[in-house]
């Protein structure tokens, strides 16, 4: 049923439990499991004196992704981190890798964040692939 599953990783405290569910799902369908993380840079350049900030952010994300990949037995070749808007980064990756299923965690939003929306909702809005949204609040 699924050949390529993409897990959008946020590096939050509930992600370990969700990650194990994704791993089991990939094993059940004998699917390739991919991990992706989009690094959103701060809008304001609060540390202009630090050179190569983008590389530092990306290196940090890749190290965290590597740890997650080790826990989920995902090879480095299937781990992807990129700087940019998460919706754009994830959508482009899905097109390039022919992803069958996107798994994304969802945080309950309140206040202004509810009005602005979330990555999960943005990805669902134009999805031409199946999406499994797992609320982090249940863990």
């Amino acid at each position: 049923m699924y050949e390529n599953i993409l897990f959008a990783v946020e590096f939050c405290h509930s992600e370990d439990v969700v990650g194990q569910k994704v791993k089991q799902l990939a094993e059940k369908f004998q699917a390739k499991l991919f991990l992706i993380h989009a690094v959103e840079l701060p809008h304001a350049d609060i540390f202009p004196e630090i050179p190569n900030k983008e590389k530092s952010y990306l290196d940090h994300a890749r190290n965290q992704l590597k740890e997650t990949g080790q826990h989920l037995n995902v090879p480095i070749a299937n781990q992807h981190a990129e700087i940019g808007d998460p919706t754009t980064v994830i959508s482009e990756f899905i097109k390039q890798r022919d992803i069958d299923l996107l798994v994304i965690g969802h945080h309950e939003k309140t206040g202004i964040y509810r009005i602005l929306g979330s990555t999960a909702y943005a990805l669902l809005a134009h999805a031409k692939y199946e999406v499994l949204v797992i609320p982090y609040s249940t863990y």
Side-chain angles (χ1 to χ4, degrees):
M1 177 177 242
Y2 298 116
E3 293 179 21
N4 298 302
I5 298 174
L6 178 62
F7 180 32
V9 180
E10 292 184 62
F11 309 127
C12 70
H13 68 280
S14 303
E15 204 156 58
D16 290 339
V17 175
V18 174
Q20 290 303 316
K21 286 186 167 214
V22 175
K23 178 183 172 187
Q24 290 173 354
L25 186 66
E27 289 171 351
K28 179 178 181 173
F29 289 107
Q30 298 179 354
K32 283 186 190 174
L33 179 56
F34 295 87
L35 304 178
I36 191 164
H37 178 76
V39 179
E40 288 186 279
L41 296 176
H43 295 291
D45 193 2
I46 55 176
F47 299 112
E49 67 281 358
I50 300 174
N52 300 320
K53 289 181 295 286
E54 291 83 4
K55 184 179 178 333
S56 295
Y57 284 118
L58 199 52
D59 287 346
H60 181 69
R62 286 181 177 145
N63 286 334
Q64 285 185 288
L65 203 57
K66 188 176 180 181
E67 276 185 43
T68 302
Q70 287 174 340
H71 292 289
L72 301 179
N73 297 328
V74 176
I76 290 179
N78 292 7
Q79 301 173 23
H80 182 76
E82 186 176 318
I83 293 174
D85 170 64
T87 305
T88 304
V89 169
I90 294 168
S91 295
E92 289 301 315
F93 187 87
I94 288 169
K95 289 176 194 171
Q96 294 168 0
R97 299 292 174 104
D98 198 26
I99 298 297
D100 305 304
L101 176 66
L102 169 65
V103 181
I104 189 165
H106 171 66
H107 299 279
E108 172 107 20
K109 304 289 184 184
T110 58
I112 190 72
Y113 298 106
R114 181 174 285 225
I115 295 168
L116 295 175
S118 72
T119 302
Y121 289 127
L123 289 164
L124 277 169
H126 304 289
K128 292 182 173 63
Y129 42 84
E130 293 187 27
V131 181
L132 174 60
V133 179
I134 302 175
Y136 287 129
S137 59
T138 60
Y139 301 102

